[in-house]
Amino acid sequence: MNPLYITTPIYYVNDVPHLGHAYTTIATDVMARFNRLQGREVKFLTGTDEHGQKIAKAAELKNIETQQFTDEISPRFKALVSVECINEESENLLNISNTDYIRTTEPRHKNAAQALWQILEQGGHIYLDKYAGWYSVRDEAYYQESELIDGKAPTGAEVEWIEEESYFFNLSKWQDKLLKFYTDNPNFITPKSRYNEVVSFVKSGLKDLSISRTNFSWGVPVPNAPKHVMYVWIDALTNYLTSAGFPDTDSNEYQKFWEQSDIIHVVGKDILRFHAVYWPAFLMAANLPLPKQIVAHGWWTVEGEKMSKSVGNVVSPYELVENFGLEQTRYFLLKSMPFGNDGDLSRERLVEIINADLANNIGNLSQRTLSMIYKNFDGVISEAKNIKDFNWQSHFQNIEAEMKSFQYQNALTQIIEFSSKANTYIDEKAPWTLRKEGKMDEMGEVLYNLAEAIRKIAILLLPFCPNSANKILDQLNISDTERNFVALQKPLKQGIKINKPEGVFPRGEL
Ligand code: MSP
């Protein structure tokens, strides 16, 4: 299996993190963890996007020097994830297993962005001209007149007319090559509806892209053109290369993670065009390998409304974690709708889902089973001859297939169905009655089958709810080396002495 290099978008530091950012990061984390459990080496990158007019304006509004402003906001994003990789203390609020955290203001990135620029320039793909057209600072995007709706960007953002000297990338030249690439790689963009959207956008005609700005200076300087800073998107997209060691193409990091890995970029639907059109065109022009897949997810609303500062309904990841728990938040975000669709954060629904699936289904199963083993068998898992496997393999195969196509919801449904079968079994076999009837061997067998189901559920749940799943595995006394998908295929050992069971999925309340 070749390694996986998976990324989140890098987040703009004009504002503090909210639910939308947390969602992308958690979804990517679950995928990274899942692949590691399959035995795959995974590089996982996240970080912050710190240049451009939007950030410069946000700093100006606060009357703070721009670098200082970004130095203050970037740690707010860092606090959600792991930064052990760069040797700093981290709160890691969301328990994210990233292996690198990048800031575009770091020297390594400036170096990479300038190197890519020079390769494109030397290849004859960049030319100097004048840009006259619409620009949205909020979206950091250029819009054509025909795209505007009532004088605004299609996203609703304000646009301004700009005229300035600018370097251009010859994007129009890549139209046919891109279309051929999409045809040859039908899974390049997922879900399918987004693939179609991108193909029709490219078919409708690509214009050359302005890739430098002169009317502000907060960006990576264009090599040998001191008046120009790079357009923030060419700068930002290059972050994926920077972390892989570029421009040192001989480095182990680059060889392993850019040349030999499956590269997957997880992004929101709003930034698909940049990743699925501009980015592959830049890479083709620079003769560098392309990512394997761009995965686009939908957007969250909150209690039916668009999240916005003016409405005052922006949800902080801290609020969710504090009120509902981290494991529950992670679970809800991936279980409540198909990946790719838009979702709504209804707190009532969140509580409903986590209570039904985590507290009542998995939590109860585990608590009931482990307590019976603890109380009636001195905590020792009995022998079992009559193995009941609840058609386990088929669930596992389905889970692997669903996760391959980023269908987290379906994968979780498989886990829940498996757990429900074990719950039905416990009720049918009624081990408490077996005890009363003195049928201890039979009771022991039933509890073995249930403990085995719980072990499997916990291992499968590791990517989604790592802390709780590990707690269940701790209670079952499963060693660290047995917490992966290879171990899933081996039977639970008989005679293990379990630890004192404790509830891992408390009921949620509004
Ligand atoms: N800086 C760029 C990305 C550069 S990647 C080379 C950017 N940053 S962002 O902070 O504005 O957005 C980052 C991600 O958060 C995007 O994928 C976006 O889709 C996601 N979300 C922002 N609001 C969201 C919701 N309300 N719901 C779900 N995700 C949303 O774009």
Side-chain angles (χ1 to χ4, degrees), residues 124-401:
H125 306 294
I126 292 179
Y127 62 91
L128 188 62
D129 202 343
K130 195 175 157 210
Y131 178 79
W134 297 105
Y135 192 78
S136 156
V137 176
R138 196 180 89 187
D139 298 348
E140 293 285 20
Y142 300 93
Y143 290 107
Q144 290 169 30
E145 182 83 39
S146 58
E147 288 180 286
L148 302 189
I149 303 168
D150 296 335
K152 289 192 172 169
T155 55
E158 298 291 335
V159 289
E160 58 190 60
W161 183 261
I162 56 173
E163 288 192 21
E164 59 184 346
E165 182 186 88
S166 172
Y167 284 97
F168 282 79
F169 171 72
N170 62 0
L171 185 65
S172 56
K173 203 187 129 195
W174 298 95
Q175 179 167 341
D176 293 341
K177 292 198 178 69
L178 284 168
L179 289 171
K180 176 164 186 333
F181 177 75
Y182 303 141
T183 309
D184 294 346
N185 298 277
N187 293 323
F188 178 62
I189 300 157
T190 182
K192 200 75 205 164
S193 55
R194 300 282 168 213
Y195 173 96
N196 296 335
E197 193 181 291
V198 169
V199 170
S200 59
F201 169 72
V202 174
K203 272 191 183 152
S204 74
L206 294 177
K207 287 214 159 56
D208 287 354
L209 180 70
S210 161
I211 51 166
S212 77
R213 304 289 314 270
T214 51
N215 65 357
F216 65 93
S217 59
W218 183 243
V220 178
V222 169
N224 310 316
K227 274 196 312 197
H228 293 253
V229 292
M230 291 182 197
Y231 168 41
V232 66
W233 269 101
I234 186 168
D235 159 353
L237 287 162
T238 310
N239 92 89
Y240 304 130
L241 273 172
T242 308
S243 172
F246 183 83
D248 185 356
T249 49
D250 292 329
S251 62
N252 286 340
E253 192 75 1
Y254 183 86
Q255 287 294 321
K256 187 193 268 180
F257 292 111
W258 204 269
E259 294 278 348
Q260 289 150 28
S261 285
D262 288 343
I263 303 167
I264 298 184
H265 301 309
V266 180
V267 302
K269 62 181 183 182
D270 54 316
I271 56 172
L272 181 59
R273 187 184 293 188
F274 303 96
H275 284 83
V277 182
Y278 302 166
W279 184 226
F282 295 152
L283 291 169
M284 279 177 184
N287 257 322
L288 295 170
L290 267 53
K292 182 177 178 225
Q293 202 171 40
I294 315 291
V295 180
H297 66 71
W299 267 49
W300 284 90
T301 50
V302 174
E303 311 288 352
E305 278 195 84
K306 197 174 165 203
M307 218 174 16
S308 96
K309 263 210 238 171
S310 48
V311 180
N313 64 347
V314 176
V315 174
S316 143
Y318 286 88
E319 182 221 307
L320 291 178
V321 170
E322 193 178 312
N323 289 339
F324 305 106
L326 171 61
E327 308 295 290
Q328 288 76 0
T329 300
R330 289 176 62 111
Y331 186 89
F332 167 77
L333 291 178
L334 295 171
K335 180 73 195 309
S336 62
M337 89 281 196
F339 199 69
N341 288 21
D342 290 337
D344 181 50
L345 176 82
S346 138
R347 290 172 178 83
E348 200 179 317
R349 215 159 148 255
L350 187 158
V351 168
E352 231 171 73
I353 290 182
I354 62 174
N355 282 346
D357 291 3
L358 296 179
N360 297 348
N361 200 322
I362 298 177
N364 258 344
L365 173 71
S366 152
Q367 184 64 13
R368 288 204 286 178
T369 305
L370 300 186
S371 308
M372 279 190 274
I373 297 175
Y374 200 74
K375 283 193 200 131
N376 300 292
F377 294 87
D378 286 334
V380 178
I381 297 179
S382 304
E383 285 193 10
K385 289 189 198 78
N386 300 310
I387 300 293
K388 176 89 182 160
D389 78 352
F390 309 106
N391 203 7
W392 142 253
Q393 284 299 351
S394 96
H395 287 290
F396 184 54
Q397 276 162 15
N398 291 342
I399 289 168
E400 287 201 306

Side-chain angles (χ1 to χ4, degrees), residues 61-78:
L61 220 66
K62 292 231 156 84
N63 238 328
I64 306 175
E65 198 254 319
T66 323
Q67 182 68 56
Q68 189 195 335
F69 175 73
T70 66
D71 287 346
E72 282 171 19
I73 307 279
S74 186
R76 305 284 293 271
F77 283 91
K78 262 188 198 169

